[in-house]
Amino acid sequence: MKRMLGLRDERLKVKDRLKPKKKEKKDPSALKEREVTQHPSCLFFQYNTQLGPPYHILVDTNFINFSIKAKLDLVQSMMDCLYAKCIPCITNCVMAELEKLGQKYRVALRIAKDPRFERLPCTHKGTYADDCLVQRVTQHKCYIVATVDRDLKRRIRKIPGVPIMYISNHRYNIERMPDDYGVPRF
């Protein structure tokens, strides 16, 4: 008898699992709530009004290393690319990353300590430079990001109004820069 009751309970459980769940019908006259992200006031569509000479350029660790390999002077090549005064900016995280790389990258560290470079302090924990650069660019849209890292480029492209400087054919190029600033197109 217990066996029969046990089988019956199992059949009921299976039937309960097979029953389709009823969807709640929503009232069509009710107001629909959506969350819309707040875009900064400095953007006019994709045109960033905060960008302008002198350009502040956030420099990534690998950008310095690839510039050395391509034998490019950072500040002079930036000015050749943008036709204006450029102020390279280095965060504490990028400096810490260069120091961690050791003796092999001592030339890059020496270049980063150049007095022409502006030093930006970091308030967050950890020394992961990519997160630091993305966070700083989302807060303040007045920077151009100089990087060769594909993952960082992909993350920055999702942020509207932030141009990216990269190295190709032994010179600096820039993408997503408004045409009004006179930046050459290649």
Side-chain angles (χ1 to χ4, degrees):
M1 189 71 165
K2 287 182 183 177
R3 220 164 140 189
M4 300 265 297
L5 287 174
L7 287 173
R8 186 172 172 221
D9 288 339
E10 284 182 34
R11 285 185 194 150
L12 287 174
K13 287 180 186 176
V14 171
K15 282 184 181 177
D16 287 342
R17 275 190 248 146
L18 295 176
K19 288 181 184 176
K21 294 181 181 178
K22 295 180 181 177
K23 294 182 181 177
E24 294 180 25
K25 293 183 179 179
K26 295 181 181 177
D27 185 20
S29 63
L31 291 174
K32 295 179 184 176
E33 292 182 18
R34 291 187 302 159
E35 190 168 320
V36 179
T37 56
Q38 184 72 31
H39 289 290
S41 61
C42 67
L43 290 179
F44 181 72
F45 297 111
Q46 290 290 322
Y47 184 86
N48 190 350
T49 57
Q50 279 188 344
L51 284 175
Y55 295 107
H56 294 272
I57 301 170
L58 278 176
V59 181
D60 190 25
T61 311
N62 54 23
F63 190 80
I64 298 172
N65 294 332
F66 277 86
S67 295
I68 293 168
K69 284 180 185 174
K71 297 180 180 174
L72 294 169
D73 177 32
L74 255 80
V75 179
Q76 187 60 43
S77 298
M78 286 177 183
M79 291 198 304
D80 290 345
C81 177
L82 292 170
Y83 300 134
K85 185 177 183 204
C86 299
I87 303 169
C89 304
I90 291 193
T91 62
N92 288 343
C93 294
V94 172
M95 288 298 283
E97 219 174 63
L98 281 169
E99 288 167 359
K100 281 181 186 175
L101 291 174
Q103 284 294 315
K104 190 176 177 185
Y105 297 97
R106 66 182 178 275
V107 177
L109 186 62
R110 180 178 259 162
I111 288 172
K113 288 182 178 176
D114 189 336
R116 295 179 293 178
F117 284 42
E118 186 179 318
R119 192 76 181 270
L120 301 174
C122 297
T123 55
H124 58 82
K125 293 181 180 178
T127 57
Y128 188 57
D130 291 2
D131 289 341
C132 176
L133 294 176
V134 169
Q135 177 190 7
R136 191 171 291 271
V137 164
T138 22
Q139 287 175 353
H140 312 286
K141 303 255 191 252
C142 62
Y143 295 110
I144 297 170
V145 179
T147 185
V148 187
D149 187 10
R150 283 184 184 169
D151 294 331
L152 182 58
K153 278 187 191 176
R154 197 173 294 128
R155 287 173 66 182
I156 290 172
R157 282 185 190 118
K158 293 177 184 172
I159 305 167
V162 179
I164 300 169
M165 185 178 280
Y166 60 95
I167 301 171
S168 68
N169 299 330
H170 293 284
R171 62 182 301 171
Y172 293 166
N173 288 327
I174 196 153
E175 69 178 51
R176 295 174 54 187
M177 189 76 165
D179 295 329
D180 292 352
Y181 291 122
V183 177
R185 293 268 176 196
F186 294 103

